Amino acid sequence: MSEPLVIVGNGMAAARLVDELAKSALGRYAIAVVGEEPRLAYNRVLLSSLLADEVAPADVELRPARWWRDRGVTLRYGSRATAIDVTARTVTLADGGRLAFSKAVLATGSRPIQLGIPGIDLAGVMTFRDIGDVDTMRMRAGPGARVVVIGGGLLGLEAAHGLAKAGARVTLVHLIDRLMERQLDPVAAGMLRRAVEARGVKVLLESETARVIGSRRAEAIELKDGRTLPADLVVVAVGVRPNATPAADAGIAVNRGIVVDDHLETSAPGVFAIGECAEHRGICYGLVQPGYEQADVLARRLAGDDARYPGSILATNLKVSGVDVFSAGDFLGSPGTEPIVLHDPGLGVYRKLVIAQDRLVGAVLCGDNTDAAWYLELIRSGQSIAAQRDDLAFGRALAMRAAA
Ligand SMILES: Cc1cc2nc3c(=O)[nH]c(=O)nc-3n(C[C@H](O)[C@H](O)[C@H](O)COP(=O)(O)OP(=O)(O)OC[C@H]3O[C@@H](n4cnc5c(N)ncnc54)[C@H](O)[C@@H]3O)c2cc1C
């Protein structure tokens, strides 16, 4: 008889896990997936492109309903898991239903961080996490609308771009002295700022929001230096926090995220966590690829292999059309590393490659991402680049020819 496996969360990591389990352990588990959002799992990464009208709604669907059915998966979407009992081995749903499990996987993702400033609860202030947020932004930020986006990381930039493309007058406010400081060095961040401003987004750096002004709705934001920026819509994109509440309530060990070991197992035996809600070796990843790698390892584990997750190398691609920005690994260069830099301001191309002991350990590309996948592969594989080093900065074609 199939073992009951309940997956809490119907997002990207959960969909990948089901996909992999269907390949390696079909029939071994009776899988039920519980999802709070009232729809099938979708590609959250594409929401920025959906907002910018660069993909159609149908493009974000990960798998059609039939795909889940064909794999015998019981889908409970539009249904929040309210409690997990790791002793009785049940998951309770908001509608009162209860699912028994032998093994459970928590894949509850993250929640956007909200600023603790006055006025944050006014209508017209929102975060950007799900498909409903795209609908809201589209409705509220048509041509001419004044929008303030708070946060100059990946999400804030993509939201600002999408809204500016829809005709809104967008100001992006960022606390730090450069955009995407967690992924870019100062040179690349400066190039990015100019490219984004050329697309109609006004950028204010080193600016801290003091409060949102308005009586019933947001009307403006006030910065700490006293400036006010009129706003019909305020989008807060200042980061995410792992959604670990269901696990913490169940008595499972939680630090920033749900603590897992190299088997992706939580402190409760037979209960696992993957994706943005998980914390592995002290790291909570905020990107999809680590969640996919965790799902792959866990599927192998659930199929009976002794698979272990060693951690992931982070890589980021900004999805703002016409602005090619890529960053991976140790992009700033820790002590003892050597940077190779190619910078052509005239062409708007910047490449910084960080080398440690004849291995590529980090990269920042701006203006031309053609070789991003190759550089990422070199970082991930850890192979020696000694033979290609002379031409490494000039891209794959030249470096491979020279090494041949
Ligand atoms: C606009 C946008 C752009 C992004 N762009 C990129 C990008 O370019 N590259 C990249 O790597 N990453 C990007 N990300 C991040 C990426 O989407 C996430 O890393 C990925 O979705 C994480 O997958 P997950 O399965 O862990 O979480 P999610 O996809 O968030 O899925 C978690 C699901 O669990 C559900 N859930 C939570 N609690 C419960 C509960 N108690 N009961 C039932 N269901 C519950 C949630 O509603 C949600 O549907 C982007 C995110 C956004 C919002």
Side-chain angles (χ1 to χ4, degrees), residues 22-316:
K23 288 180 209 156
S24 57
L26 191 67
R28 176 162 175 174
Y29 295 99
I31 304 174
V33 182
V34 182
E36 189 174 9
E37 291 184 70
R39 49 182 55 87
L40 293 169
Y42 57 88
N43 187 339
R44 202 174 298 284
V45 169
L46 286 182
L47 290 186
S48 310
S49 308
L50 185 65
L51 177 68
D53 242 344
E54 285 156 7
V55 299
D59 297 334
V60 305
E61 188 179 280
L62 280 173
R63 301 288 187 189
R66 209 189 58 232
W67 183 89
W68 297 91
R69 250 195 333 267
D70 288 351
R71 279 149 191 81
V73 177
T74 306
L75 269 187
R76 303 284 292 257
Y77 54 83
S79 184
R80 190 164 59 88
T82 52
I84 300 157
D85 187 328
V86 297
T87 311
R89 302 201 87 67
T90 56
V91 173
T92 306
L93 309 182
D95 63 11
R98 195 162 288 180
L99 300 171
F101 67 84
S102 151
K103 293 196 173 77
V105 180
L106 307 177
T108 46
S110 294
R111 301 244 186 254
I113 293 175
Q114 191 53 288
L115 290 171
I117 54 171
I120 204 73
D121 295 327
L122 286 169
V125 181
M126 62 180 296
T127 51
F128 184 17
R129 180 71 191 177
D130 59 37
I131 214 163
D133 298 330
V134 174
D135 296 339
T136 308
M137 280 192 250
R138 284 211 164 136
M139 215 164 56
R140 298 215 175 127
R146 297 161 307 175
V147 179
V148 173
V149 176
I150 302 174
L154 178 104
L155 212 60
L157 280 157
E158 292 184 357
H161 165 67
L163 292 162
K165 230 182 138 197
R169 288 179 284 160
V170 183
T171 305
L172 186 139
V173 174
H174 191 47
L175 188 62
I176 314 296
D177 63 355
R178 65 177 201 270
L179 297 171
M180 286 180 71
E181 75 281 353
R182 286 165 62 196
Q183 289 92 8
L184 299 182
D185 66 356
V187 178
M191 291 172 72
L192 172 61
R193 178 188 182 166
R194 288 188 288 282
V196 169
E197 287 187 325
R199 278 159 183 78
V201 176
K202 187 173 170 188
V203 176
L204 301 181
L205 298 176
E206 295 179 275
S207 299
E208 187 169 357
T209 311
R211 65 182 178 120
V212 182
I213 302 170
S215 46
R216 289 194 8 246
R217 300 189 46 84
E219 291 162 18
I221 67 153
E222 183 180 305
L223 300 178
K224 283 245 162 98
D225 61 15
R227 281 177 293 172
T228 57
L229 308 171
D232 305 304
L233 178 70
V234 177
V235 180
V236 180
V238 294
V240 294
R241 185 168 290 127
N243 182 12
T245 316
D249 291 348
I252 294 170
V254 167
N255 194 13
R256 186 157 182 268
I258 305 166
V259 178
V260 293
D261 61 15
D262 288 2
H263 292 132
L264 286 324
E265 194 160 14
T266 69
S267 61
V271 179
F272 303 83
I274 54 170
E276 284 194 0
C277 67
E279 176 177 325
H280 174 258
R281 297 186 191 172
I283 301 175
C284 298
Y285 295 98
L287 295 169
V288 72
Q289 186 58 31
Y292 280 174
E293 290 167 18
Q294 292 167 0
D296 294 355
V297 168
L298 181 55
R300 283 169 41 213
R301 178 94 193 147
L302 291 172
D305 285 0
D306 182 28
R308 283 164 197 266
Y309 173 67
S312 297
I313 288 172
L314 287 181
T316 309

